[in-house]
Each structure stands twice: as C-alpha cells, then as structure tokens.
Amino acid sequence: QVQLVESGGGLVQPGGSLRLSCRASGFTFSSYTMSWYRQAPGKEREWVAAIGRAGSARNYAVSTKGRFTISRDNAKNTLYLQMNSLKPEDTAVYYCNAPSRSGDLQDDYWGQGTQVTVSS
C-alpha cells in the first residue's frame, strides 16, 4: 500500500531553518510528480511547492519563493523541503502529496503531516 511519512518538523525561531523529509513506499516514486502542501489553523490546505519526476522542474508558491527549496532523491524514495528564513506565518502542518490517477486532489495520496511552528 502507498505510504508517505513526513518528518523533520519542529519548533524554530523566526529566521531559522528546517528540512522536511517525506519517505515514500508502495509505489514507483520516480514516476510521480510530488508536492508539499501545508495547512495552518483556520485555513484551507495550501499548495507550497512541486517537483517533476526527474527533479528538473520545480514550482513554488509566491509566499515561499527564495526561501524554500523542494528536492528529491529517487534512489532513496524521498522528497525534501528545505525551509530557510522561516516566518511565523509559515507555521502549519506540512503534508507530502502524490497525485492520483484521477487528477482530483481528494483522491491523492497524503502523509500524516509534520508540524512546523515558527515562534520566538
């Protein structure tokens, strides 16, 4: 079965950095575009970044450009999100995402999430 397990979240001060990891299993990881999403309290889930199958195509939400870097290691079946210059508004649960065959977000595969808290 498909499994996505996020790790690397935690409490960090504004301006600090974290690197999130998403370990994938149960599917051919290298055949999938992968994404990070996040959800803050009281807000809908928000797309953060996406990366193509070979890692050459990368896209970011405007709010994260210049601060976040998405990457992947297909040999390790792992997706990463390097987050620098963190702001309090980055506080959210961060989720790893793999697309479904249907193309509907509700049918996608999701991890359980990892909490990122940016606070002084």
Side-chain angles (χ1 to χ4, degrees), residues 10 33 41 43 47-48 62 73-74 78 88 91 93 99 105 112 115 117:
T33 295
K43 301 183 68 176
W47 173 76
V48 174
V62 172
D73 187 336
N74 287 341
T78 303
T91 296
V93 178
L105 193 64
Q112 293 300 305
Q115 177 71 49
T117 302

Side-chain angles (χ1 to χ4, degrees), residues 74-96:
N74 287 341
K76 297 181 179 179
N77 288 350
T78 303
L79 177 73
Y80 302 98
L81 185 67
Q82 178 67 47
M83 304 185 295
N84 299 326
S85 302
L86 284 162
K87 305 174 181 179
E89 49 263 46
D90 295 318
T91 296
V93 178
Y94 283 71
Y95 297 92
C96 181

Side-chain angles (χ1 to χ4, degrees), residues 16-62:
S17 298
L18 287 172
R19 188 180 75 159
L20 307 183
S21 297
C22 171
R23 295 177 175 84
S25 61
F27 66 103
T28 306
F29 178 75
S30 61
S31 296
Y32 285 75
T33 295
M34 299 293 294
S35 296
W36 287 99
Y37 285 75
R38 67 186 181 187
Q39 188 166 24
K43 301 183 68 176
E44 293 188 351
R45 192 164 297 188
E46 173 191 27
W47 173 76
V48 174
I51 187 167
R53 288 171 286 182
S56 57
R58 302 175 185 181
N59 296 98
Y60 300 91
V62 172

Side-chain angles (χ1 to χ4, degrees), residues 101-112:
R101 292 183 179 182
S102 71
D104 293 326
L105 193 64
Q106 63 185 21
D107 295 327
D108 286 1
Y109 296 106
W110 301 90
Q112 293 300 305

